[in-house]
Amino acid sequence: MRRVWAVALREFKALFDHPTAYVLLVVFLGVNAFLFFRQAYVAGAASLRPMLDLLPWLLLFFVPAVTMRTLAEDSRSGVLEVVLSQPVTELELLAGKYLGSVLFLWTALALTLPIPIALRFAAHLQWGPIIAQYVGSALLAASLAGVGVWASTVASTQMTAFIIAVVVMFVLVLFGLDPLIVGLPPSLGAIAARLGVLSHFDSISRGVIDLRDVIYFISLAAIFLAFAFGTLVRRKLAPAGGALRRLRLGVGLLAAILIVINLLGSYIRGRLDLTPGRAYTLSPETEQIVKGLDDIVTIKLYASKELPTEAALLKRDVDDLLHDLKSAGQGKVRIIQRDPAENDAARRDAQAMGIEPVQFNVIGQSELQVKEGYLGIAIQHADGNETIPFVSETDDLEYRLASAIRSLTRTKKPVVGLVNEAKQPEAGLQEFRSQLAKGYEVRDVSLGDSSQVAKDISVLVLAGNPDSLPVTQLGRLNRFFDGGGSALVFASGMELSPQLPMAMPKPVAWNSALQRFGTSIRSDMVYDLQASEIVPVPSPAGQVLRQYPFFVRGASTGKSVINKEVNGAVFTWASSIDTTSAPTRAITPLFTSSRAGGASTGETMIDPNREWPQSDLKPRLLAVQSVARKSAKDGGTAGRAVVVGDATFASDRSARGAPENLAFALNAVDWLAQDEGLISIRAKDRRPPPLVFTSNLSREGVKYINVIGIPLLIAAAGVVHLARRRRKTREPYRPLLPAEPKAA
């Protein structure tokens, strides 16, 4: 091992003794940072995904440029024979050369660390996913380095080695994508999908280090290093001798074993979840639900073998989740997997459950093919069943399964009353209602009805802002709260004009009922000059994207179980919350604007091109939770309330554009109903935190330090090192020991 390390250090230092290494580093860092910030600033999210999406394509050229001289140059110049005449074996030389190249590639990746460090100035960065992403990047670079070293052994010149490595890596990057597997049988298509590097790299880059992906990258590097070893040893063997045949047989068997390990490794389970809240690991609450089952729950997975690569990756996550559920259920959860595409009985069973095939557009070499596939789930318990017709994403799959299991096994659902006074057409609550119906009985309530509010209702959802709240209706609300009822309020103190881009102040009718909770909604409109959404705005040159301060990206305080795992939410034309009259009540802030938050009062222009006041900027309270206390004589509490200053916060439009809004609203209902078992499951938020800079100077400074500053520092360090080395080589030779005097 000492010889291997000596060769690796020599190779690593030799790379930095040549100007090419510094040119490669400068180009790699500059291009990587430029492409990253161009995408990251548009997305407005503190995530390395823009960099990771392009990293395999950058490494496609960077790795061959680093490894092309590894052995090709030594072979061309005759140095290879001299080195092998020393007390070092072919295996030690190959391992050392490979390790030296990997160390250089890892150094290049380490030099991109200023990017996530700089993002700390604009967001509360999640370091768990970043660690996993750099581990995945290091494994990807190490596996591709094996390809590059192999290409260097079979080529006679550096340029030939570069071209061979690029071609082979290009095939590996594209392997498993739909254009390459169109027309393949399902079994071969599945194998091709598992052999592609992108699917395994994407899996790690989300923040989960999966043992299957680690095995893939290690075995891929080992396969090409085995080929490289065979090529290196073949140089000293007779062309038609038995030793050469034995060498080929041994290398072939070793490569075959490694390929089998690569394929079988996809069935090995084991992962390290570094995402916040362990988003890809089964929650303790889910485990408690399945452990407490009084009868067997059957989960049927209807999945086709022939699925596009993206859907195949989803199926792997589905398989993992179902396996975890089965293990946690301790025999009370039964998993059945069937392929309706190959079994008529399974097809009929799926159709009876409401699971139909979904069409996929697959791009072939010269055609667009439409294929059908199944990826649906049915949950059965006793005589009831719940169905997920198609799993399009796995972000909320654990919650959907746990909610379905609890709904099927619970004898009676709590009742939620819905009062929708919103007048805007886009303020429909169908998605919110359908999600609530999975765990609650949802009932429309009219406060004008003398028989309302029924005693079995535990939570009221008050959406919109009615013109007035008559005394009789206020009395019904007060009696509801006196009985321990709770409320979720979505309302704004400004009303949009249907004809003009204007908003007018309008007192919030619910404020009189919210006095007991010490909260009220002001008649203003909050804007945020830093944390806001990007919207298309008409211009003479067409639509352009720009920030719209009235669409506030609210920051989560994380102080409640409701928003602990929700990083942020979107508030459109929202009003601020007043809690100044609640000195003795339990008030918990949930969402606030940034420090650059302002509030417009009176008639307000909502045109995106308006001027935005720069004075009186401070954090504005956008949502709170409150617990009203009973008198000391009665003790206990007199209900709970969650107040949100946005009338359309949980509307269908918001649910589509900001799914975190819907997750928060559902969490709020669970907390208000004091049914908090599913909050931590639903609230697993995999969205990165928003990217919010305190000023344009810091925003541009972070960008240009990484795009220009870091590459210039590397270039300057290279110039100094190479100049010092050049000066040292020009010094006259000086013996280490003084010459002995000549004998007389």
Side-chain angles (χ1 to χ4, degrees), residues 407-448:
S407 177
L408 289 171
T409 57
R410 189 162 55 179
T411 57
K412 185 179 180 181
K413 295 181 179 181
V415 181
V416 174
L418 183 58
V419 181
N420 190 359
E421 296 287 346
K423 298 180 177 60
Q424 300 96 325
E426 67 275 8
L429 298 172
Q430 292 304 316
E431 181 63 23
F432 179 53
R433 175 192 289 269
S434 64
Q435 292 294 330
L436 277 179
K438 295 178 180 180
Y440 298 91
E441 178 187 341
V442 182
R443 188 182 302 167
D444 288 319
V445 172
S446 173
L447 294 178

Side-chain angles (χ1 to χ4, degrees), residues 229-243:
F229 176 75
T231 304
L232 200 60
V233 174
R234 188 181 61 185
R235 297 172 181 270
K236 66 179 183 180
L237 300 179

Side-chain angles (χ1 to χ4, degrees), residues 327-387:
S327 300
Q330 299 177 352
K332 296 180 180 179
V333 177
R334 183 173 60 182
I335 307 297
I336 298 176
Q337 183 168 338
R338 309 180 72 181
D339 184 0
E342 295 185 352
N343 189 305
D344 291 337
R347 185 184 299 109
R348 291 192 295 270
D349 192 16
Q351 290 175 349
M353 294 289 180
I355 298 175
E356 298 290 341
V358 176
Q359 291 185 342
F360 302 98
N361 292 329
V362 181
I363 301 175
Q365 295 178 347
S366 59
E367 60 180 344
L368 177 64
Q369 296 186 4
V370 178
K371 294 188 175 183
E372 289 188 342
Y374 290 84
L375 189 58
I377 298 176
I379 305 98
Q380 296 178 318
H381 177 266
D383 296 330
N385 65 78
E386 294 277 352
T387 302

Side-chain angles (χ1 to χ4, degrees), residues 240-254:
L244 181 59
R245 289 194 296 271
R246 289 191 295 271
L247 174 66
R248 289 174 177 172
L249 179 61
V251 171
L253 287 175
L254 178 60

Side-chain angles (χ1 to χ4, degrees), residues 558-738:
K559 295 181 178 180
S560 168
V561 66
I562 305 176
N563 66 335
K564 185 177 181 181
E565 299 296 338
V566 180
N567 293 323
V570 178
F571 295 79
T572 58
W573 298 305
S575 299
S576 60
I577 310 296
D578 183 7
T579 60
T580 55
S581 63
T584 61
R585 293 168 173 84
I587 298 291
T588 303
L590 298 177
F591 288 97
T592 65
S593 71
S594 74
R595 290 176 292 179
S600 293
T601 56
E603 295 185 0
T604 300
M605 289 287 297
I606 60 173
D607 190 333
N609 297 312
R610 61 162 288 177
E611 294 292 330
W612 303 96
Q614 306 284 329
S615 60
D616 193 26
L617 298 181
K618 61 183 178 181
R620 306 286 175 165
L621 190 57
L622 300 170
V624 299
Q625 75 177 41
S626 175
V627 178
R629 301 293 180 183
K630 286 185 178 180
S631 64
K633 178 180 178 181
D634 296 333
T637 63
R640 301 176 172 190
V642 173
V643 182
V644 180
D646 179 1
T648 61
F649 182 84
S651 66
D652 295 334
R653 181 189 63 185
S654 295
R656 290 190 298 268
E660 62 273 24
N661 286 24
L662 184 59
F664 168 79
L666 295 172
N667 287 344
V669 172
D670 287 340
W671 179 76
L672 293 169
Q674 303 188 25
D675 184 13
E676 304 174 9
L678 291 178
I679 288 182
S680 61
I681 308 173
R682 185 197 297 116
K684 286 185 174 182
D685 188 3
R686 297 170 184 174
R687 291 167 58 96
L691 196 62
V692 181
F693 290 92
T694 56
S695 66
N696 286 331
L697 179 62
S698 60
R699 175 188 174 94
E700 296 303 314
V702 163
K703 174 182 176 181
Y704 287 109
I705 285 175
N706 284 277
V707 175
I708 299 177
I710 302 298
L712 284 180
L713 285 177
I714 300 299
V719 170
V720 172
H721 175 74
L722 294 175
R724 186 177 300 171
R725 186 172 183 272
R726 182 183 180 89
R727 186 169 57 251
K728 185 176 293 186
T729 57
R730 291 182 175 181
E731 293 179 356
Y733 172 74
R734 296 177 183 177
L736 296 177
L737 298 175

